[in-house]
Amino acid sequence: MTSYRFSGFEADLESGELRRNGCRVPLQPQPFLILTRLLQAPGELVTREILIQAVWGNTYLSDPGHSLNIAVRKLRTALEDSSDEPRYIETVARCGYRFVGEVERVEITANPPGETATPPIPPFWHYRHRSPFALLALAILSLSAWMWLPLRGRSHSIEHSGAQTRLVWDNAVDLGGQVSGDGRYFSYTDWMSEDLGLGVRDLLARKNLKLTHMGNWAETKAEVGPSAVSPDGKWVAFSHTTYADKENEELARLVVIGMDGSNQRVLLEGDGLDYVHPYSWSQDGKWIAASVVYRGQKPGGRDSIALVSVDGQVCHLPVKNDLWANNLTFSPDGRYLAYSIGARKAQPVLMIRSREPESSENVVQDNAMMMGWSPDGSAILFSRERETTHDLYLLAVAGGKPAGNPVPIYASSDIGQRTAGVTKDGSLFYSTFNRRSETVVVRLSGSEIRQETPIANIPGTVSIGWLLGSGPAHFSPDGKRIVVLTPNDALTIHELESRGQRTITPDLKAWKAVRWAPDQSGLLLLGSATNGRSGVFRVDDMTGKTRLLASLPPDTWSFTPSNDGRTIYYGTPFKTQARNISSGTDQVLFESPKGGSYDLRVSHDGSRLAIRGGAYLAVVDLKSGRQRVLFRRTEPDPVALWAMDWSADDSSLLTIVRPGVGMERMQLWTFSADGGSPKRQPLAPELRGLSISPDGKYVATTRLTQHWQLWALDNFLPPMP
């Protein structure tokens, strides 16, 4: 598990969360991905083009610059940073951004002594993708076997053999809402269509209901945010945010609407309200508990709790140390609020308070994320992180204070900290997101990728999105080996004939792309060393030792060597250049106002260079310098090129293409290197990267599987002793 720490903050790549002193800081996925990309190369310039591609991939955006500005502003707000006097995010005018703080990278790979290892599971990200045009990731859940925790101190474990999980909604559109009291309805933001709006899932009928229609985000500059269904299932409270044209100012409001789409009205807005997250309703359906953020000094402080009645009354409650209240939930009798904030020992703290304005907060438990109340209000459920698992505890309460010690009641690696509420009959709803990518080698018949059992499978390859779609796997020049980028900054070399493989860890600080050396004597990596030097490094494929081959600009994203090994072709924003390794001189080969090159491939005969951007495909004759543009996207065409490689005879380029807004309809386009319209074929939507063997018989591709899922845990509440 990898995380980055700086100045009390921690960016957890496993959970997709930003924490400050252990308390989760509200941050949408796009700003978090920007932060992650900057933290991977502290002190280095990361261009706007690279950030846009890294966050939104090849998704069509009508105004990508505006989208990036908004995301960076949200990131700075979360970090309490300033563009004028940056402590973390520095703007490089007209170029991009760099992280200027001190960063510590942390790896957690082993269980502490005495702990039982949990079954291995693929990494998953607990976050909502809020990009209006990006297709939301979908989850494949790996459910580890549960076990009861051992006795510790005065706590006793309660076995309840009837506990079981059930999948409530597979391939969920969004998981930023809450379930109704009877467990029938679940609210969500409809990111799947260009007509953004609020949706409700009828979990019983398995149908989606659209409650609001907001139109295209590019036109409205507005979005629906978190939401919560009333206990009786008749109303939905949701956040509505509009982005002003000036200074990207956010205008947030709390809105309520009937389940039939009628009687929509605004309950809270203005007065510097920057963000609002409705978490829960009181059981009588009269009040909504929301965490809010105000610009400047406003009622209750910058971050506070807002209790808003359906008739417009508002009561603000301050939060300790001005921290965000997570999973804010009314007690069943409506007298108390429980939530997790703050931190001690870098962990969230569970709090309980009365709903009265002058009430004080009571610290209940350290390292505890609020998950819900028991239906009778006699206990609180909270999740506690234990290495790579999250265990569920029950804590008896009385009068707003603990009435005993926490009792471990369910151990699981997937429950996490994202609760969707507890129903009246005692079912806990929670969400999971799992993103897996693996390299597979399948047969290639002409220009058709055969959908059959792979002849090789290498699980656990690095996320394809981080590599801008170029693919983490590459055939060796003789076609006998494949190199694959894997998690934990490693490279796996797979022998196709013997099926053997080995893993090496290059001694570099970070890298972006990998290629084989033309003479097959080792590997080439585009990255940076601990001494700050960046460029292409030669890597010993047995030891991982590296040496700098060619220094390149820090904003270089793609590269490939010439067949004779004397030249490095590399792409920077808007330019593709050739670097003579011996002389160090550069020659500009191609320029494009549509952005930089994300993939470069030299033809097998070494005479031509294929250049792919998200919006164009071009070929350059390396002897004459003649350029031929095979494809260029015209606005507002949403077509995006995802990956490409030469055919074995160099006559054509096979390209993975996303023809529309969503990622569910991928295609394989075959372009003649001499120009003309491409041949189009359907392609499995989970396939991304593309590397063709030299003989043209096989293709190595990245199979990306991802699902949002909504689960319920039933029959887990034992009688309290």
Side-chain angles (χ1 to χ4, degrees):
M1 183 172 64
T2 303
S3 66
Y4 293 90
R5 294 175 181 172
F6 57 96
S7 302
F9 287 98
E10 180 175 5
D12 187 339
L13 272 62
E14 186 76 10
S15 65
E17 293 181 347
L18 175 67
R19 304 187 187 100
R20 186 173 190 176
N21 297 325
C23 178
R24 184 167 67 88
V25 178
L27 189 63
Q28 294 174 322
Q30 297 97 325
F32 183 85
L33 290 174
I34 290 172
L35 176 61
T36 299
R37 182 65 186 85
L38 294 174
L39 290 173
Q40 288 172 343
E44 296 184 12
L45 170 66
V46 183
T47 66
R48 293 174 62 84
E49 180 78 12
I50 286 174
L51 289 174
I52 290 170
Q53 186 70 17
V55 175
W56 288 278
N58 290 324
T59 298
Y60 169 70
L61 298 174
S62 62
D63 191 349
H66 181 71
S67 299
L68 179 62
N69 292 340
I70 291 176
V72 171
R73 179 180 179 273
K74 289 182 177 181
L75 175 58
R76 282 182 167 140
T77 298
L79 298 177
E80 298 182 359
D81 199 12
S82 167
S83 59
D84 297 327
E85 298 180 1
R87 292 182 295 166
Y88 309 116
I89 311 299
E90 178 184 73
T91 300
V92 180
R94 297 181 299 279
C95 291
Y97 304 90
R98 64 165 56 94
F99 191 89
V100 295
E102 294 292 328
V103 181
E104 176 190 6
R105 176 174 174 149
V106 180
E107 296 283 353
I108 301 176
T109 58
N111 288 359
E115 294 288 354
T116 302
T118 57
I121 59 171
F124 55 86
W125 285 62
H126 295 291
Y127 65 76
R128 258 187 332 112
H129 197 307
R130 294 167 56 93
S131 168
F133 296 104
L135 183 71
L136 275 182
L138 311 170
I140 291 179
L141 179 68
S142 278
L143 185 62
S144 33
W146 62 270
M147 61 181 183
W148 300 117
L149 294 178
L151 300 177
R152 287 210 176 121
R154 296 175 57 189
S155 299
H156 59 282
S157 99
I158 298 179
E159 296 191 4
H160 194 59
S161 59
Q164 59 184 3
T165 57
R166 56 186 168 94
L167 180 59
V168 179
W169 187 12
D170 195 11
N171 293 340
V173 175
D174 172 70
L175 292 173
Q178 296 285 311
V179 71
S180 59
D182 60 3
R184 175 166 182 172
Y185 298 107
F186 177 80
S187 56
Y188 65 92
T189 301
D190 183 10
W191 302 108
M192 287 296 197
S193 66
E194 293 190 10
D195 180 18
L196 302 175
L198 175 70
V200 170
R201 173 75 170 183
D202 186 329
L203 300 174
L204 183 61
R206 299 183 180 181
K207 294 182 179 180
N208 296 338
L209 312 173
K210 195 72 171 284
L211 300 190
T212 67
H213 299 270
M214 296 179 58
N216 191 295
W217 186 89
E219 300 173 356
T220 64
K221 295 297 188 295
E223 66 180 23
V224 168
S227 56
V229 183
S230 63
D232 60 8
K234 296 181 179 180
W235 299 90
V236 181
F238 65 96
S239 169
H240 179 280
T241 304
T242 302
Y243 299 94
D245 292 333
K246 295 182 179 180
E247 300 181 356
N248 297 328
E249 182 180 7
E250 297 179 29
L251 305 175
R253 56 185 62 88
L254 177 64
V255 184
V256 67
I257 189 172
M259 186 61 74
D260 58 359
S262 65
N263 298 319
Q264 178 175 328
R265 60 188 187 277
V266 176
L267 300 182
L268 181 66
E269 66 178 336
D271 202 24
L273 183 62
D274 194 61
Y275 185 74
V276 57
H277 186 140
Y279 275 108
S280 67
W281 290 69
S282 60
Q283 286 297 320
D284 59 11
K286 295 181 178 180
W287 290 86
I288 300 163
S291 291
V292 294
V293 177
Y294 285 94
R295 293 185 295 276
Q297 297 299 316
K298 297 298 177 183
R302 182 176 178 275
D303 289 8
S304 63
I305 294 171
L307 302 183
V308 185
S309 72
V310 292
D311 58 9
Q313 300 179 58
V314 181
C315 175
H316 287 90
L317 305 177
V319 180
K320 186 176 182 180
N321 297 329
D322 192 25
L323 294 171
W324 183 263
N326 293 289
N327 299 346
L328 175 65
T329 311
F330 274 107
S331 61
D333 61 10
R335 297 175 57 192
Y336 300 100
L337 295 163
Y339 48 94
S340 291
I341 65 166
R344 287 187 213 157
K345 302 177 182 179
Q347 297 292 347
V349 177
L350 179 63
M351 316 288 286
I352 301 180
R353 71 179 305 156
S354 167
R355 60 179 292 176
E356 299 302 323
E358 303 302 324
S359 63
S360 59
E361 297 172 298
N362 297 316
V363 177
V364 177
Q365 283 287 313
D366 290 331
N367 185 16
M369 180 60 69
M370 175 64 183
M371 297 296 283
W373 292 80
S374 63
D376 62 2
S378 64
I380 283 177
L381 295 163
F382 68 83
S383 172
R384 172 167 288 168
E385 185 173 5
R386 184 168 61 93
E387 295 302 323
T388 59
T389 68
H390 286 87
D391 304 323
L392 191 64
Y393 285 76
L394 190 72
L395 176 66
V397 294
K401 297 181 180 180
N405 293 315
V407 177
I409 59 172
Y410 191 79
S412 175
S413 61
D414 69 292
I415 281 184
Q417 298 180 341
R418 297 187 62 89
T419 179
V422 178
T423 60
K424 295 178 181 179
D425 62 0
S427 293
L428 170 64
F429 282 69
Y430 63 96
S431 60
T432 63
F433 174 62
N434 185 6
R435 180 181 180 127
R436 299 182 64 191
S437 60
E438 60 181 354
T439 292
V440 294
V441 179
V442 295
R443 297 185 184 277
L444 182 65
S445 177
S447 60
E448 179 184 356
I449 297 178
R450 302 288 295 272
Q451 303 299 312
E452 56 187 24
T453 302
I455 65 170
N457 185 299
I458 308 171
T461 54
V462 72
S463 168
I464 190 69
W466 183 74
L467 295 169
L468 300 187
S470 62
H474 296 276
F475 277 101
S476 60
D478 62 8
K480 296 180 179 180
R481 293 176 292 172
I482 295 176
V483 62
V484 177
L485 286 120
T486 57
N488 302 319
D489 294 336
L491 297 169
T492 294
I493 298 174
H494 184 88
E495 304 282 348
L496 289 174
E497 293 182 359
S498 66
R499 303 295 179 92
Q501 64 183 40
R502 64 181 185 276
T503 299
I504 61 172
T505 302
D507 55 358
L508 293 177
K509 181 174 69 174
W511 59 81
K512 306 171 184 177
V514 62
R515 293 290 189 272
W516 287 92
D519 61 3
Q520 303 188 91
S521 61
L523 299 167
L524 301 179
L525 278 178
L526 174 64
S528 58
T530 54
N531 61 9
R533 303 188 69 182
S534 61
V536 173
F537 293 79
R538 179 178 284 274
V539 185
D540 187 307
D541 61 4
M542 298 300 294
T543 66
K545 296 295 183 181
T546 63
R547 64 178 178 86
L548 184 64
L549 180 65
S551 294
L552 296 178
D555 59 356
T556 302
W557 188 254
S558 59
F559 88 102
T560 196
S562 61
N563 289 358
D564 61 11
R566 298 176 181 177
T567 304
I568 295 293
Y569 304 107
Y570 68 98
T572 58
F574 311 110
K575 287 184 181 180
T576 300
Q577 303 180 74
R579 167 69 58 85
N580 184 295
I581 296 176
S582 60
S583 67
T585 58
D586 286 337
Q587 176 188 359
V588 176
L589 300 177
F590 186 80
E591 296 185 74
S592 173
K594 292 292 185 180
S597 57
Y598 302 128
D599 202 0
L600 302 174
R601 304 288 175 113
V602 176
S603 59
H604 297 92
D605 63 9
S607 66
R608 289 175 290 183
L609 176 69
I611 306 170
R612 179 190 63 83
Y616 68 87
L617 180 66
V619 174
V620 176
D621 186 297
L622 295 174
K623 184 176 181 179
S624 66
R626 180 186 176 187
Q627 302 174 4
R628 183 187 298 275
V629 177
L630 303 181
F631 175 81
R632 190 184 298 276
R633 184 177 68 199
T634 56
E635 307 298 348
D637 187 357
V639 171
L641 308 184
W642 196 262
M644 61 105 182
D645 202 1
W646 288 94
S647 61
D649 60 3
D650 291 337
S651 65
S652 59
L653 284 161
L654 278 66
T655 308
I656 294 180
V657 176
R658 188 216 62 206
V661 174
M663 303 298 293
E664 69 278 4
R665 292 183 299 275
M666 303 295 281
Q667 293 182 355
L668 182 68
W669 289 10
T670 303
F671 291 89
S672 169
D674 296 325
S677 300
K679 175 185 176 182
R680 308 184 185 196
Q681 298 171 279
L683 186 69
E686 68 271 13
L687 300 184
R688 295 293 187 271
L690 191 63
S691 178
I692 299 174
S693 62
D695 60 9
K697 295 181 179 180
Y698 303 100
V699 60
T701 182
T702 301
R703 186 159 57 191
L704 182 66
T705 53
Q706 32 187 26
H707 292 292
W708 279 113
Q709 291 181 323
L710 182 66
W711 288 77
L713 178 63
D714 302 324
N715 305 320
F716 67 96
L717 283 171
M720 289 299 294

